[in-house]
Amino acid sequence: MYKFGSRSLNNLKGVHPNMVRLMNESIKDSPYDFTITEGLRTAKRQNELYQQGRAKPGIKVTSLDGYNKKSNHQAKSDAYGYAVDLYPYINGSVRVEYERYKKETNAIAEHILSTAKRLGIKVECGGYWKSPFDPPHFELKK
Ligand SMILES: [Zn+2]
């Protein structure tokens, strides 16, 4: 039985109610605890991520610049963000290293997708994509 902390709750602000409902249901009986690290993003924030691996050091994390190409994390016409990013929370830390926490990450994703099915909410996980392969990412489908 898990419960969101303030970081996750904050990151659910401005996220579409169906996604909020899915997350609130999923955390209760998730096989592992998880933390929502991002929800609604501004164009500025999206562009900062886009600059990573381009104008700024680091590896490329997105092909969406936030202005010409928008992310599902940015507000749609209904003002809600349609995506969240989340990671396992194990032994007191958010575990962003996918290779090391593959088992937990995948178990959480399977659990969220089956919860979505039960609730009749259409959602995709980036961990099931080839490119970009994005395991922490979940987004609503219309
Ligand atoms: Zn994402």
Side-chain angles (χ1 to χ4, degrees):
M1 226 16 208
Y2 298 111
K3 226 181 112 187
F4 286 135
S6 57
R7 183 175 179 189
S8 293
L9 292 173
N10 255 326
N11 287 326
L12 283 173
K13 285 179 188 160
V15 171
H16 191 283
N18 284 349
M19 182 62 94
V20 174
R21 181 163 168 245
L22 173 59
M23 290 299 130
N24 282 332
E25 280 298 312
S26 298
I27 191 66
K28 289 184 200 166
D29 54 351
S30 179
Y32 299 97
D33 199 358
F34 62 87
T35 299
I36 297 167
T37 59
E38 286 223 33
L40 180 64
R41 253 179 221 162
T42 60
K44 188 171 172 275
R45 166 74 181 142
Q46 181 64 35
N47 193 259
E48 279 169 17
L49 293 170
Y50 178 76
Q51 294 308 332
Q52 203 178 303
R54 294 185 174 88
K56 288 194 286 183
I59 53 156
K60 286 184 185 174
V61 290
T62 181
S63 61
L64 308 171
D65 69 2
Y67 296 106
N68 294 315
K69 288 182 180 176
K70 291 189 177 182
S71 156
N72 281 316
H73 283 279
Q74 293 176 253
K76 303 271 186 203
S77 54
D78 60 10
Y80 290 118
Y82 277 47
V84 295
D85 296 335
L86 58 90
Y87 293 93
Y89 183 85
I90 311 285
N91 294 329
S93 295
V94 177
R95 304 297 181 171
V96 300
E97 316 98 307
Y98 176 69
E99 285 305 323
R100 208 169 148 200
Y101 292 92
K102 200 184 245 180
K103 182 187 75 177
E104 293 85 348
T105 303
N106 292 347
I108 292 166
E110 276 175 38
H111 170 70
I112 290 173
L113 294 182
S114 76
T115 305
K117 208 167 205 178
R118 175 164 64 76
L119 298 175
I121 295 171
K122 289 199 175 92
V123 70
E124 273 187 19
C125 173
Y128 291 74
W129 299 341
K130 289 237 155 50
S131 180
F133 177 63
D134 193 3
H137 180 92
F138 292 80
E139 67 180 40
L140 290 177
K141 286 288 146 197
K142 291 236 169 113

